[in-house]
Amino acid sequence: MRLVRYTPATGGPVTIGLLRERAVEPVARPAGDGDAELLAIAMSRTEPAAIGDAVGLDAVRLLTPLARPTTIRDFLTFEQHYRNFLQRSRGTDEVPAEWFRTPVFYFTHPNNIFGDGDEIPRPDTDQLDYELEVAAVLGADGRDVTPEQAPDLIAGYTLFNDYSARDIAGPEMSLGLGASKCKDFANVIGPCLATPDELGGTSGRPDTTLSARVNGKPHGGDRLASMHHSFADMIAHASTNSWVRAGDVLGSGTCATGCLLELSSLHGEDAFPWLEPGDVVELEAEGIGTLTTTVGPRPARRS
Amino acid sequence: MRLVRYTPATGGPVTIGLLRERAVEPVARPAGDGDAELLAIAMSRTEPAAIGDAVGLDAVRLLTPLARPTTIRDFLTFEQHYRNFLQRSRGTDEVPAEWFRTPVFYFTHPNNIFGDGDEIPRPDTDQLDYELEVAAVLGADGRDVTPEQAPDLIAGYTLFNDYSARDIAGPEMSLGLGASKCKDFANVIGPCLATPDELGGTSGRPDTTLSARVNGKPHGGDRLASMHHSFADMIAHASTNSWVRAGDVLGSGTCATGCLLELSSLHGEDAFPWLEPGDVVELEAEGIGTLTTTVGPRPARRS
């Protein structure tokens, strides 16, 4: 099943629904933001009965599948993406041996979340990029989870666009603490939470096709099965001597050719320029759907 | 005022209290974990009336000032600490110019929180270290906050021990994403939330003495006023084109000589060895108090 949170297009209370071809079927009316209820439905692995008539997508506003992710961890699991990145940043595509052993990740900002149909606030950057990722969303807490146990914690999967400002990243990451302001302005998830059966099973190693478009023009893509480290391995690593919690979001990292940094390195900046105000970025994954956002205007410079 | 959450030593409901010399005075009995109520009292800037008799510290268990930080950002604001770190890791103590311009930070794990009196779960490491820091805790949301507005968002300050596994950090951080498993096993805050007036005013640039002890032996220290970037500057930076939220914790970064990595570089590993099971680590800041934790046993190796 593909679960969404939505309101009427004109505003109103949050409803949880099943995403159909061109409609949503209401299944629950939560008292609050609905995060806990949506995760509980996903974890039940059973499609609930409708509690009302299906509503056309034109008549609703889709919200992010979670209003408040508990945390967001972003990983680096696609080898070819990492090779392309290393080639650009270090002049060699040789992947460190440590990477093959460890599903490395960093924590990113969980409280600046955008969803399908949103305009994202553009930071003061000349190198704005999208990143094409899939994220697992956890529906239960765990600690020292084995890769075999890990799939039981996964409520489902969503698309994840980890917008990045490459010119902010350079100076910031040179100080050795990793990424923060270059990635904390817009974490986009949606359009739905697709339960694991929608992506080829419950093994913690899902597969689907991934693709991106900017203003309708194809912008690279990959298969989710190209991940070197599976979501099950990622959860096991994250939970070693530590808690993972219901509502945690674990991003796959960018797939091969899943961002402008890679595409412009491979094919030139004229063919794949950085994002500008008004650009429409669509990420698509079979089984999940399409996640569309628009780049907002340049911010006023701080005095 | 110095605010604590606590239960009777034998367990029971959470109470919010004022920390006195050797006692706590109850001021509120929240329905839930009390995080929101404690922040609201701090933001009122007014000491509430007691709702019962003071209780001796022996008869209570102090909890972390927040059960669930919204996020934790850790910064790098002490120049001499950074110099000592650079000398050890890069063989030069020259600080990059970018550091002076930018209060750089990273997001760390908000859901593995320990407090005063706790035993922390030791990860599989041979180089376990503590870090002596102070953290600001926010009591209100903000976006594009100026340094002048920022102090109004600060509910108060707490001690922050950012336990770190240096041998896990090396390979992990070589992959370029920063710190994760080397720092996600125990973030320790406490013993109280001290409102800004306890630390010399409400300017967002507090001062106090900072010191650490391991098994009673002095282990370095500094003044909080040595921070190159103030908490006000840190909040302004974090909130640029992004949300900061009530319950966010912003760490100062380690003060000069505030960890074994520095002390052992300066004075030798024999004088300042890595932490072992049973070691008692105390952080102290005038105006906040003492935050004591004990290092847990080595974990069983994963099969």
Side-chain angles (χ1 to χ4, degrees):
Chain A
M1 59 188 142
R2 300 194 299 156
L3 289 159
V4 292
R5 296 185 320 119
Y6 68 94
T7 64
T10 50
V14 174
T15 303
I16 296 172
L18 294 164
L19 184 60
R20 305 300 191 190
E21 194 58 35
R22 296 198 166 277
V24 289
E25 247 180 64
V27 295
R29 292 213 170 78
D33 59 28
D35 284 4
E37 291 87 346
L38 183 142
L39 291 176
I41 295 169
M43 293 298 280
S44 77
R45 314 299 195 204
T46 308
E47 205 166 280
I51 57 168
D53 293 338
V55 185
L57 275 180
D58 290 350
V60 303
R61 179 170 172 234
L62 292 185
L63 307 176
T64 50
L66 291 182
R68 294 222 165 205
T70 309
T71 65
I72 304 179
R73 294 173 182 83
D74 204 11
F75 289 71
L76 178 62
T77 69
F78 287 90
E79 182 177 346
Q80 191 56 49
H81 165 74
Y82 194 34
R83 284 192 189 281
N84 292 342
F85 169 78
L86 290 168
Q87 184 67 50
R88 180 174 175 129
S89 60
R90 301 190 189 173
T92 165
D93 76 347
E94 196 181 332
V95 173
E98 178 65 22
W99 180 84
F100 292 99
R101 283 192 292 270
T102 305
V104 68
F105 70 90
Y106 66 99
F107 287 96
T108 185
H109 196 188
N111 291 327
N112 215 3
I113 300 297
F114 295 83
D116 186 57
D118 285 344
E119 178 181 277
I120 67 105
R122 182 193 171 90
D124 190 2
T125 172
D126 293 316
Q127 297 187 348
L128 183 63
D129 204 351
Y130 65 89
E131 291 190 342
L132 170 56
E133 308 192 20
V134 166
V137 178
L138 303 192
D141 296 354
R143 189 178 177 95
D144 291 320
V145 177
T146 66
E148 293 71 33
Q149 297 164 331
D152 292 342
L153 270 64
I154 300 174
Y157 299 97
T158 189
L159 279 159
F160 176 30
N161 185 345
D162 176 24
Y163 274 103
S164 301
R166 304 299 183 189
D167 46 359
I168 296 175
E172 176 170 272
M173 294 182 74
S174 75
L175 298 177
L177 299 190
S180 50
K181 293 308 293 179
C182 63
K183 285 178 175 283
D184 77 346
F185 54 92
N187 282 319
V188 185
I189 55 174
C192 69
L193 184 79
T195 48
D197 55 293
E198 300 279 347
L199 289 150
T202 54
S203 63
R205 190 176 276 283
D207 191 23
T208 183
T209 55
L210 301 172
S211 59
R213 289 181 295 279
V214 175
N215 301 328
K217 178 189 165 185
H219 266 62
D222 198 350
R223 289 205 71 94
L224 190 56
S226 305
M227 290 168 70
H228 175 76
H229 300 285
S230 69
F231 285 103
D233 291 339
M234 290 155 55
I235 292 165
H237 181 64
S239 73
T240 300
N241 209 47
S242 188
W243 284 104
V244 292
R245 302 283 191 190
D248 280 358
V249 171
L250 289 81
S252 63
T254 309
C255 67
T257 71
C259 64
L260 295 170
L261 187 77
E262 275 182 82
L263 290 167
S264 62
S265 294
L266 296 167
H267 307 293
E269 246 183 66
D270 287 347
F272 293 97
W274 303 113
L275 297 172
E276 290 296 337
D279 281 350
V280 176
V281 180
E282 295 170 274
L283 309 187
E284 188 168 354
E286 210 181 319
I288 304 178
T290 305
L291 177 62
T292 304
T293 42
T294 304
V295 175
R298 285 182 180 270
R301 299 237 169 191
R302 282 262 189 110
S303 59
Chain B
M1 60 189 141
R2 300 194 299 156
L3 289 158
V4 293
R5 296 185 319 120
Y6 68 94
T7 64
T10 50
V14 174
T15 302
I16 296 173
L18 295 165
L19 184 60
R20 304 300 191 189
E21 193 59 34
R22 297 198 166 277
V24 290
E25 246 180 64
V27 295
R29 295 216 168 76
D33 59 28
D35 284 4
E37 291 87 347
L38 183 142
L39 291 175
I41 294 169
M43 295 298 281
S44 77
R45 314 299 194 203
T46 309
E47 205 166 281
I51 58 167
D53 292 338
V55 186
L57 275 180
D58 290 350
V60 304
R61 180 172 171 231
L62 292 186
L63 307 176
T64 50
L66 291 182
R68 295 221 164 207
T70 309
T71 65
I72 304 179
R73 294 173 181 82
D74 203 11
F75 290 72
L76 178 63
T77 68
F78 287 90
E79 182 177 346
Q80 192 55 49
H81 165 74
Y82 194 35
R83 283 193 190 281
N84 292 343
F85 168 79
L86 290 168
Q87 185 66 49
R88 180 175 175 129
S89 60
R90 300 188 189 175
T92 166
D93 76 346
E94 197 182 332
V95 173
E98 177 66 20
W99 180 85
F100 293 97
R101 282 192 293 270
T102 306
V104 68
F105 70 89
Y106 65 99
F107 286 97
T108 185
H109 195 188
N111 291 325
N112 214 4
I113 300 297
F114 295 84
D116 186 57
D118 284 345
E119 178 181 278
I120 67 106
R122 183 193 170 90
D124 190 2
T125 171
D126 293 317
Q127 297 187 348
L128 183 64
D129 204 350
Y130 64 90
E131 290 189 342
L132 170 56
E133 309 191 20
V134 165
V137 178
L138 302 191
D141 296 354
R143 190 179 177 94
D144 291 320
V145 177
T146 66
E148 293 70 33
Q149 298 164 330
D152 292 341
L153 270 62
I154 299 174
Y157 299 96
T158 188
L159 280 160
F160 177 30
N161 185 345
D162 176 24
Y163 275 104
S164 301
R166 303 299 181 189
D167 47 358
I168 297 174
E172 177 171 273
M173 295 183 74
S174 74
L175 298 177
L177 298 191
S180 51
K181 293 307 294 180
C182 64
K183 284 178 175 286
D184 77 347
F185 53 92
N187 282 320
V188 185
I189 55 174
C192 68
L193 185 79
T195 48
D197 55 293
E198 300 280 347
L199 289 148
T202 54
S203 64
R205 190 176 276 282
D207 190 23
T208 182
T209 55
L210 302 172
S211 59
R213 289 181 295 280
V214 175
N215 302 327
K217 180 188 165 185
H219 266 62
D222 198 350
R223 289 205 71 94
L224 190 57
S226 305
M227 290 169 68
H228 175 76
H229 300 286
S230 70
F231 285 103
D233 291 338
M234 290 155 55
I235 293 165
H237 182 65
S239 73
T240 301
N241 208 46
S242 188
W243 284 103
V244 293
R245 302 282 191 192
D248 280 359
V249 171
L250 289 80
S252 63
T254 309
C255 67
T257 72
C259 63
L260 295 171
L261 187 78
E262 276 182 81
L263 290 167
S264 62
S265 294
L266 296 168
H267 307 293
E269 246 182 67
D270 287 346
F272 292 97
W274 303 112
L275 297 172
E276 290 297 335
D279 281 351
V280 176
V281 181
E282 295 170 274
L283 308 187
E284 188 168 354
E286 211 181 319
I288 304 178
T290 305
L291 177 62
T292 305
T293 41
T294 304
V295 175
R298 287 183 179 270
R301 299 237 169 190
R302 282 263 191 110
S303 58

